[in-house]
Amino acid sequence: GRRVTLLEALRRGARSTKSARERELALRGVALWFVNFGTDAEAEAEFGSVSEQLRALATDPGSDVRAPAVAALGMANFVAGADFRDAAELAQFVQARVLAPALERRAMDEVRQALETLGLLLTVVADADAALAERVFDAALALHMRALKADSVDVRVRAAQNFALVHQALNAHAPFAFAQQDELVGVLEMLRHESSKRHGKRSVAAQRAAMRDTLRTIEAGDAPELRLALHGRVVRFGDWIRILRLHAFRAALGGGLPAHFLANALLQDVFDVEFDGSHDEFQLNKARMVVSPSSELAKLRSKDMRKRRAAHHATLQPDDE
């Protein structure tokens, strides 16, 4: 049908020799195709060959689109994979064939994407089989510890969130501690108090918040709560499974996230929400994050707003004669 024809065109684009940008956009299109159509029978039929192509692109030493290939591979598996065992197998593939080599090359974009994809896959495994999730993550624990010590703040944040996800999932069944938990807590504490001289205040603020949230999960079992105002109502994301899934779908959909919450049955099923799209006001409302006024994000927003107001005020002042 037309959907399969579209997917075939995107797959050809991913192999295009014209430009890396075209290949990257095609791979983003593959991820979006599965978000839109991945629960249909034809998507299940196409998944095997698509997965094979994406694995090849994600691990090809000469490829310049390894990161978007990993992102598309993770989303396709999340949507159309057979079950949690498929997710576990792919998680092992990503950590051995993508994350480990990327850390050796210090290719931080690939490391960040590999960690994000691992997080998404682990939400599937942890939700179905805690013991299997523990085995999968245990094999990647040393890689996550290395990622926590990387220069990239984004990489550190993704690694910390994966630690939080696994700890919360396993601790729900029985008291749990990582094999290197004392060292892990020490690194998280160090990163929580790192100065802003090397990375800038905004990046360090995000890092501090992530480390604080991870420590709270490991030490007290608590997870942060994200609240997203969508189409006139607030959707809450109060555990790490929902939070990391939200991150993955936001990365794939960008500004289209609110529309998909309204009209895409996949997102409504994944996050257990329903919207009545028959009212015009739902179509017109845009999503916005709801944050505490005392949060680091709110403080940064207020500071930026003051700077913009000051700059605007300065442009309105008459020049000296």
Side-chain angles (χ1 to χ4, degrees), residues 162 209 216 249 261 285:
N162 286 357
R216 187 183 302 133
F249 276 101
F261 264 107
N285 275 331

Side-chain angles (χ1 to χ4, degrees), residues 15-277:
R15 296 189 297 266
S16 170
T17 58
K18 292 182 179 179
S19 71
R21 180 61 175 164
E22 182 175 331
R23 291 190 288 275
E24 180 180 350
L25 290 174
L27 288 166
R28 289 178 61 86
V30 170
L32 289 172
W33 189 92
F34 277 94
V35 171
N36 282 285
F37 311 123
T39 57
D40 297 340
E42 57 189 3
E44 295 180 9
E46 296 293 326
F47 173 69
S49 60
V50 173
S51 176
E52 183 178 346
Q53 178 186 359
L54 294 176
R55 288 181 188 230
L57 286 171
T59 55
D60 181 0
S63 172
D64 51 7
V65 288
R66 286 188 291 266
V70 173
L73 180 59
M75 184 56 72
N77 183 282
F78 179 84
V79 177
D83 60 18
F84 68 92
R85 286 175 286 267
D86 270 6
E89 185 276 327
L90 180 57
Q92 292 168 325
F93 173 88
V94 169
Q95 65 196 35
R97 299 288 305 281
V98 182
L99 178 57
L103 278 168
E104 290 297 326
R105 296 193 308 271
R106 298 184 180 180
M108 290 299 108
D109 283 347
E110 294 173 38
V111 173
R112 180 201 57 76
Q113 185 56 63
L115 290 168
E116 184 175 296
T117 297
L118 274 173
L120 177 62
L121 296 170
L122 284 167
T123 68
V124 178
V125 184
D127 208 23
D129 188 331
L132 178 57
E134 182 176 4
R135 292 196 299 273
V136 170
F137 190 77
D138 188 58
L141 191 148
L143 296 175
H144 278 75
M145 290 297 294
R146 286 179 61 187
L148 273 181
K149 301 170 185 177
D151 288 336
S152 167
V153 169
D154 284 344
V155 165
R156 296 173 182 177
V157 168
R158 295 302 185 281
Q161 290 174 338
N162 286 357
F163 274 112
L165 164 72
V166 172
H167 194 280
Q168 183 182 45
L170 298 182
N171 205 52
H173 297 273
F176 173 77
F178 292 109
Q180 303 175 27
Q181 185 145 311
D182 289 343
E183 179 186 355
L184 170 62
V185 169
V187 173
L188 293 171
E189 287 285 4
M190 179 188 69
L191 294 174
R192 187 175 70 162
H193 295 100
E194 187 177 51
S195 73
S196 59
K197 292 180 180 179
R198 291 185 59 195
H199 296 287
K201 292 183 178 179
R202 183 183 295 275
S203 294
V204 170
Q207 175 175 291
R208 287 174 179 169
M211 303 308 150
R212 183 179 62 246
D213 290 340
T214 301
L215 283 165
R216 187 183 302 133
T217 298
I218 291 173
E219 296 174 344
D222 298 330
E225 181 182 84
L226 296 184
R227 292 180 292 162
L228 192 61
L230 286 163
H231 308 295
R233 59 178 287 192
V234 174
V235 181
R236 289 174 168 81
F237 305 85
D239 61 73
W240 284 107
I241 285 179
R242 287 169 64 84
I243 289 170
L244 293 197
R245 288 177 177 178
L246 175 65
H247 289 339
F249 276 101
R250 177 181 279 138
L253 297 171
L257 183 69
H260 278 266
F261 264 107
L262 177 65
N264 191 327
L266 170 66
L267 266 72
Q268 294 177 5
D269 181 56
V270 167
F271 295 105
D272 193 25
V273 295
E274 292 183 5
F275 290 96
D276 180 0

